[in-house]
Amino acid sequence: MEPRARVGKNRGQQNFSDRELDSFLYAFGDVHTPLEGTRKVLDELLTDFVTEICFEAARSATLAGRQKVKLDDIKFTCRKNPKYLGKIQDTLDKKSEIDKAKKLVDMNDDKITKSDVKGLEEELGDGDDDDEKVTLGGRSSKK
């Protein structure tokens, strides 16, 4: 069965959640709670759009001799529409920024290895010696 024929089997089913569709519509100027018919039409339009993009990307991957669709295939599919291509590029740029930020802030930074400690040590100079006397618990000691 041709892939496009399989899409017809899912007609009438909602593929996106009501919350996603409501947020999407509200972001583009609709009311907080849109009509049910509006949601259904938007869901159908989005599903058809995503399906067509995926089929075209799969076709370009097949012509390139691959079975898997790559991001370049989707970019190639959107090459004639600069708005789509620009949005894809913006999303990729944001993703790379987020990945760089995640590398800087390592969440598993609980353990400090010996190599990390050696990197943190610094050479003490003559000005770092303090001759102040501090009294701790009744005892006098150098700080």
Side-chain angles (χ1 to χ4, degrees):
M1 180 186 297
E2 184 183 332
R4 291 177 196 262
R6 281 188 254 144
V7 175
K9 290 175 24 178
N10 295 330
R11 285 274 183 232
Q13 292 181 355
Q14 187 170 341
N15 296 310
F16 296 94
S17 71
D18 286 339
R19 185 174 178 192
E20 290 173 328
L21 295 171
D22 290 351
S23 298
F24 192 70
L25 286 167
Y26 184 70
F28 283 94
D30 203 359
V31 295
H32 281 288
T33 53
L35 298 173
E36 187 62 32
T38 307
R39 276 193 211 118
K40 286 182 180 181
V41 168
L42 180 64
D43 181 67
E44 188 174 328
L45 288 171
L46 286 174
T47 302
D48 289 344
F49 174 76
V50 170
T51 304
E52 289 296 319
I53 292 287
C54 291
F55 281 134
E56 291 298 320
R59 182 181 299 155
S60 67
T62 303
L63 291 174
R66 288 181 273 110
Q67 290 182 345
K68 293 184 179 180
V69 175
K70 291 185 176 182
L71 183 62
D72 291 334
D73 298 324
I74 294 174
K75 285 182 181 179
F76 182 77
T77 301
C78 297
R79 72 189 182 281
K80 293 181 181 176
N81 193 331
K83 287 183 181 180
Y84 295 161
L85 199 56
K87 187 63 176 173
I88 290 170
Q89 193 59 45
D90 286 345
T91 305
L92 290 174
D93 292 343
K94 287 179 185 177
K95 183 185 180 303
S96 67
E97 288 178 19
I98 290 170
D99 290 343
K100 286 179 187 176
K102 283 182 181 179
K103 285 181 182 177
L104 290 176
V105 180
D106 188 8
M107 299 310 266
N108 298 326
D109 210 11
D110 297 345
K111 299 177 184 175
I112 297 178
T113 61
K114 289 183 180 181
S115 62
D116 291 339
V117 172
K118 287 181 182 177
L120 294 174
E121 290 177 352
E122 63 181 52
E123 193 68 32
L124 293 178
D126 293 334
D128 291 332
D129 293 335
D130 293 332
D131 288 333
E132 296 178 20
K133 289 196 175 202
V134 179
T135 306
L136 298 173
R139 297 177 70 191
S140 177
S141 65
K142 277 192 172 182
K143 184 179 180 181

